[in-house]
Amino acid sequence: MIDPWGSASLEYQELIEKFGVKPFSEILDDVPDPSWLMRRGIVFGHRDYERILEAVRKGEDFAVVTGMMPSGKMHIGHKMIVDQLRWYDSIGAEIFIPIADMEAYSARGIDFETSRRIAVEEYIANYIALGLDLSKKNIHVYLQSENLMVEDLAYILAGKVNFNELRAIYGFTGSTSMAHMYAPIIQVSDILHPQLEEMGGPRPTLVPVGPDQDPHIRLTRDMAARFREKFGFIQPSSTYHRFMRGLTGGKMSSSKPKSAIFLSDTPEEAEAKIRNAKTGGRETLKEQRELGGVPEDCIIYETLLYHMSGRDDDLEEIYDSCRNGTLMCGECKNNTAEFVRKFFEELSEKREKALRVAKGVLEG
Ligand code: SF4
C-alpha cells in the first residue's frame, strides 16, 4: 500500500514491478522532441502515455491536470512540476491546476483562508516566476473549494465508491474523518472534470505525478471506467517522476529546512546551501584522481541533472570527468554554486513581479 499523505520514500522499481507502471524509456523514442526530464530518466514511468502521444501526433485536444497542496514552502524539487507544465503548454495542452485546499484541510488541518494565502503567495507566485504564463486561456487555476463543477461531479462519483474500497487503497480506518475520506474523491473529480461535456467532452488526459500519488491515479482510472457509460470518460494517463534528494542525502522536504533550497531563499542562501551539500567525492584529492567521484551519490550532480536544462552533452562531460577523476569537487561545487546563485538572482527578481499578479489569478 502507498500512502500519498505519508513521508515514506518509495522504491521506483517497486512501482513498476508491483503496480503495473511501465518504464518510460520504452516509449521515449516515440516522443517528438522529449523534455530534458524525460531524456534524463527523471520521468521514469507511465500508464497509457501512448494515448497522449497519439493526440499530439494527430494534433488533437488533450488535457494535463496536476494539482498543488498549499501546505508549506515550495522548494527546488517542486520546480520540476512547473518545468513539465511549461513543456506541455508548449505542445498545446489545455492545463488544469487545482489548488487542493479541501485536501489541505482534511489531511493537514489547514483552514481555507490560510490555504488561499499560501497558494497565492507561495505557489502561484512561484509558478509565474518560473515561467508559466497563468494568464493564458488554456491554463486554468482554481481552488477545489470554489469549483462547483468539481464538487458536483465528486458527489456523483462518490455514489459508486465505498469505504471498503478506500480502506484497501489508502488504509483508512474507522477513525479516519469523513473529510479525509472524501478528499480522494475530490481529486478524482479534479482529474476527470476536464472531460465533462461543458468542458469540451471526453479527451485524453495526462496526470504527471510523483510515485506516492499513484493510489489516486488507480482510483481515478477505476472510477473513469465505472462512469464511462454516463460521461464517456477516457481513462486518464499518468507519468511518474523521481524526486530530487535532499541536500544532505535522504528526502528533500519543506519540513526539514536543511534538506531543501526554498524558492524564496535569497541567492546567497541558495548558494551557501549548495556549498554545504553532500557530494560523491572521495576522502582525499589523491584518491579522487585515482578512483574518480561517484556522481550517482552526489547532490551537486543531481542539482545539475534536474535543473541544468541545456544540452545533455555538457552534463555528460561533467559526469565523465567526475568518473575519470579529472574533475575535483571543489571546482565542480564552485561552478554549480555560481549556476544556482545566478538562477536565484533571476528568480527573486521575477518573484517580486509575480507576487503582484498572483492575487488576480484566482479572481480572474
Ligand atoms: S566532482 Fe562534482 S559531480 Fe563528481 S562527486 Fe564531486 S561534486 Fe559530485
Side-chain angles (χ1 to χ4, degrees):
M1 191 181 294
I2 303 170
D3 175 5
W5 302 283
S7 57
S9 55
L10 199 72
E11 287 299 325
Y12 299 126
Q13 198 54 29
E14 219 174 311
L15 202 67
I16 288 174
E17 282 159 13
K18 292 195 186 152
F19 293 97
V21 165
K22 303 235 182 77
F24 200 83
S25 54
E26 288 176 1
I27 50 158
L28 182 64
D29 288 346
D30 300 331
V31 182
D33 199 11
S35 72
W36 85 86
L37 296 168
M38 292 171 174
R39 293 194 311 263
R40 298 178 189 173
I42 295 166
V43 174
F44 70 93
H46 76 101
R47 289 184 200 271
D48 284 346
Y49 196 75
E50 294 86 353
R51 236 178 237 145
I52 303 300
L53 285 176
E54 201 187 337
V56 173
R57 212 169 16 245
K58 292 182 175 163
E60 286 172 3
D61 197 14
F62 72 101
V64 174
V65 184
T66 186
M68 53 170 105
M69 181 158 76
S71 65
K73 283 163 79 168
M74 253 183 105
H75 58 60
I76 196 164
H78 296 129
K79 171 177 167 284
M80 179 192 358
I81 300 285
V82 184
D83 291 331
Q84 292 188 73
L85 288 177
R86 285 175 54 197
W87 188 80
Y88 283 110
D89 179 36
S90 77
I91 60 165
E94 184 160 16
I95 294 175
F96 295 82
I97 307 173
I99 298 167
D101 59 343
M102 292 176 80
E103 188 189 23
Y105 168 74
S106 60
R108 302 269 192 266
I110 299 171
D111 65 68
F112 290 99
E113 210 178 306
T114 306
S115 267
R116 188 187 182 98
R117 185 181 50 72
I118 297 174
V120 170
E121 291 174 6
E122 190 62 35
Y123 289 78
I124 294 176
N126 276 317
Y127 275 42
I128 297 170
L130 288 169
L132 191 67
D133 183 355
L134 299 181
S135 66
K136 287 178 77 173
K137 283 206 164 36
N138 62 318
I139 304 185
H140 315 275
V141 186
Y142 64 88
L143 286 156
Q144 287 176 327
S145 64
E146 290 184 356
N147 190 322
L148 288 182
M149 191 188 292
V150 167
E151 289 175 38
D152 287 350
L153 176 61
Y155 199 76
I156 295 169
L157 298 173
K160 283 199 184 179
V161 63
N162 63 38
F163 174 69
N164 285 342
E165 194 175 357
L166 293 179
R167 180 172 55 186
I169 300 173
Y170 298 102
F172 290 156
T173 66
S175 59
T176 306
S177 75
M178 292 292 288
H180 196 170
M181 272 189 260
Y182 196 58
I185 315 294
I186 292 280
Q187 297 214 15
V188 172
S189 183
D190 281 326
I191 297 169
L192 294 178
H193 90 282
Q195 297 195 50
L196 290 175
E197 281 309 323
E198 37 292 49
M199 299 300 289
R203 56 180 150 166
T205 302
L206 173 73
V207 196
V209 289
D212 56 334
Q213 300 299 305
D214 191 52
H216 298 316
I217 302 295
R218 280 182 275 133
L219 177 64
T220 307
R221 286 166 59 86
D222 283 354
M223 298 299 285
R226 272 171 231 177
F227 284 88
R228 181 172 297 130
E229 210 174 306
K230 184 172 173 62
F231 294 113
F233 288 148
I234 297 168
Q235 277 190 318
S237 310
S238 50
T239 56
Y240 301 85
H241 46 253
R242 294 170 197 277
F243 292 118
M244 194 182 154
R245 283 174 300 164
L247 299 173
T248 46
K251 203 175 172 189
M252 186 177 285
S253 161
S254 303
S255 58
K256 292 189 217 140
K258 283 202 178 128
S259 73
I261 303 180
F262 296 106
L263 295 180
S264 54
D265 281 346
T266 63
E268 294 73 26
E269 284 167 336
E271 182 183 346
K273 284 183 178 179
I274 281 294
R275 289 191 184 280
N276 286 322
K278 177 182 171 290
T279 73
R282 307 285 176 179
E283 298 260 310
T284 64
L285 287 179
K286 183 171 175 287
E287 233 183 283
Q288 181 131 350
R289 275 191 207 103
E290 282 166 12
L291 301 172
V294 187
E296 290 82 359
D297 277 348
C298 179
I299 304 303
I300 300 295
Y301 181 74
E302 201 160 303
T303 303
L304 298 172
L305 180 77
Y306 277 70
H307 302 292
M308 196 171 81
S309 59
R311 297 180 326 131
D312 291 345
D313 292 358
D314 295 340
L315 194 68
E316 271 165 33
E317 202 182 309
I318 294 169
Y319 182 92
D320 291 342
S321 28
C322 170
R323 289 300 291 191
N324 67 26
T326 49
L327 179 64
M328 297 298 114
C329 292
E331 182 190 348
C332 190
K333 257 192 178 179
N334 276 343
N335 296 343
T336 310
E338 174 81 356
F339 164 76
V340 167
R341 189 174 49 75
K342 267 198 196 134
F343 172 82
F344 272 79
E345 276 169 4
E346 282 171 26
L347 183 69
S348 56
E349 226 171 79
K350 288 180 190 157
R351 258 171 66 90
E352 254 176 59
K353 285 187 206 139
L355 265 169
R356 289 197 286 275
V357 285
K359 246 187 205 149
V361 169
L362 290 179
E363 278 144 24

